Amino acid sequence: MTWLITGGAGYIGSHVVAQMAGEERLVVLDDLSTGRADRLPEGVPLVVGSVLDRELLDRVLADHAVTGIVHIAGKKQVAESVERPLYYYRENVDGLRTLLEAAAGAGVRRFLFSSSAAVYGMPDVDLVTEDTPCLPLSPYGETKLAGEWLVAATGRAHSMATASLRYFNVAGAASAELADEGVFNLVPMVFERLEADEAPRIFGDDYPTPDGTCVRDYVHVEDIASAHVAAARRLAGDPAAELVLNIGRGEGASVAEMVGIILDVTGSTGPPPVTGARRPGDPARVVASVDRIAAELDWSARHGIRTMVESAWAGWRLRHPGVPA
């Protein structure tokens, strides 16, 4: 088989490529807006371009005899999506539609879609199952839910085996060189504050949780990647597959707990965390139920939170050499 990995030079995509490269023939399509070509293993071809370019897609699928697609490319910042909804719908929904049209035209029969726990919105449950109602709170979450619908409908109409994988809170790195370069999630946001000798910020300490701060399910990016490998194997062997699966650890950690671990790993001697008002739209608890992915793919997460933080810190230090080790 040959798999096309869109967004394969990005943070999550490069980890998926690294794990799949040992098992399958791959080709990466990435516009390099946030990705880097040097993240790719030697020998994996890179095509620079957009999933909105139908002519390019047709050429790549034909030239590389692609038989399966892992679609990771897309825009993913919640706040930006609120400010630029038309941009997010174009990139995430119209880009996906264009890619699916090309895939159907080329006879591709396996399609794996990168989705998000943002589809759930503010679920009021201890564990979020795949059957929990989806009520996204942002255009970003809406585009992911619409994408899931589009993937499933196309799969049924064109005999594609499909899977949509709902990521929870991704952190960590397989190596310092592959670490997340964005500062949009809790772990790098705290790193940035520490580097500036500023107090880490916690938004709200009056939630109905054990310590009053929000609880989230953090999952190592290497586990995200291994779930993609497991899903790709399933699609390769099950032409009737139509899966929607959570990727998480099934365990929650509070924001205060995470900040404490970060301070310990970094050895910070700077200002202690400060607590401010809640942010609008932050649910108290979002933790994945992982029973379905265990049953369908025989998969479970292997890495703990401290490993995520340690590996992320190694990547931060590599890109910020002035930060004390």
Side-chain angles (χ1 to χ4, degrees):
M1 287 191 61
T2 299
W3 290 86
L4 169 65
I5 316 291
T6 71
Y11 167 50
I12 294 174
S14 62
H15 283 84
V16 173
V17 168
Q19 291 201 24
M20 289 187 69
E23 300 190 11
E24 306 285 356
R25 293 186 301 274
L26 304 178
V27 56
V28 168
L29 175 68
D30 200 300
D31 66 6
L32 300 184
S33 58
T34 58
R36 290 198 336 261
D38 62 4
R39 281 184 165 136
L40 298 179
E42 185 176 352
V44 174
L46 168 65
V47 178
V48 179
S50 168
V51 293
L52 287 159
D53 186 340
R54 175 61 190 274
E55 183 178 342
L56 175 64
L57 292 174
D58 288 342
R59 186 165 66 250
V60 170
L61 295 177
D63 288 352
H64 294 271
V66 170
T67 53
I69 296 173
V70 179
H71 182 44
I72 301 172
K75 303 306 176 184
K76 62 177 184 178
Q77 303 309 324
V78 170
E80 183 184 47
S81 78
V82 174
E83 297 169 358
R84 306 180 67 189
L86 293 173
Y87 175 61
Y88 267 66
Y89 270 84
R90 184 185 72 215
E91 293 289 324
N92 289 1
V93 178
D94 200 36
L96 173 59
R97 178 192 59 79
T98 305
L99 179 60
L100 284 167
E101 285 180 346
V108 174
R109 293 292 178 260
R110 300 160 188 88
F111 198 97
L112 179 53
F113 176 57
S114 165
S115 188
S116 168
V119 301
Y120 293 117
M122 293 183 68
D124 186 18
V125 292
D126 286 340
L127 290 177
V128 180
T129 76
E130 290 83 354
D131 298 320
T132 298
C134 291
L135 300 167
L137 296 173
S138 68
Y140 166 67
E142 292 166 2
T143 64
K144 287 300 184 181
L145 184 58
E148 291 185 9
W149 295 339
L150 187 53
V151 167
T154 303
R156 290 190 292 268
H158 294 277
S159 301
M160 287 183 194
T162 63
S164 293
L165 302 182
R166 293 173 174 170
Y167 309 168
F168 279 65
N169 295 66
V170 186
S175 66
E177 293 76 15
L178 296 184
D180 190 1
E181 296 184 356
V183 188
F184 304 105
N185 300 316
L186 175 64
V187 174
M189 288 172 68
V190 175
F191 290 163
E192 184 178 56
R193 301 285 292 186
L194 296 179
E195 183 178 359
D197 199 30
E198 298 176 351
R201 290 179 291 191
I202 295 174
F203 297 98
D205 62 357
D206 58 348
Y207 288 94
T209 61
D211 62 18
T213 66
C214 293
V215 172
R216 296 290 183 266
D217 190 334
Y218 297 90
V219 57
H220 199 295
V221 68
E222 284 197 273
D223 288 324
I224 293 281
S226 70
H228 282 72
V229 173
R233 288 178 185 151
R234 171 66 180 274
L235 298 185
D238 182 1
E242 184 181 322
L243 304 172
V244 176
L245 302 170
N246 291 336
I247 309 180
R249 293 189 309 123
E251 300 176 11
S254 75
V255 171
E257 288 174 325
M258 286 295 293
V259 171
I261 292 170
I262 294 168
L263 295 179
D264 185 53
V265 167
T266 60
S268 172
T269 58
V274 295
T275 300
R278 295 184 183 190
R279 293 182 300 188
D282 270 350
R285 175 183 169 90
V286 183
V287 178
S289 167
V290 292
D291 292 344
R292 184 173 296 179
I293 194 169
E296 294 285 356
L297 302 184
D298 191 27
W299 177 93
S300 62
R302 297 176 48 247
H303 298 86
I305 288 174
R306 190 174 184 90
T307 301
M308 296 179 216
V309 174
E310 290 172 344
S311 60
W313 181 233
W316 185 272
R317 293 205 315 271
L318 180 68
R319 298 189 309 280
H320 301 82
V323 176

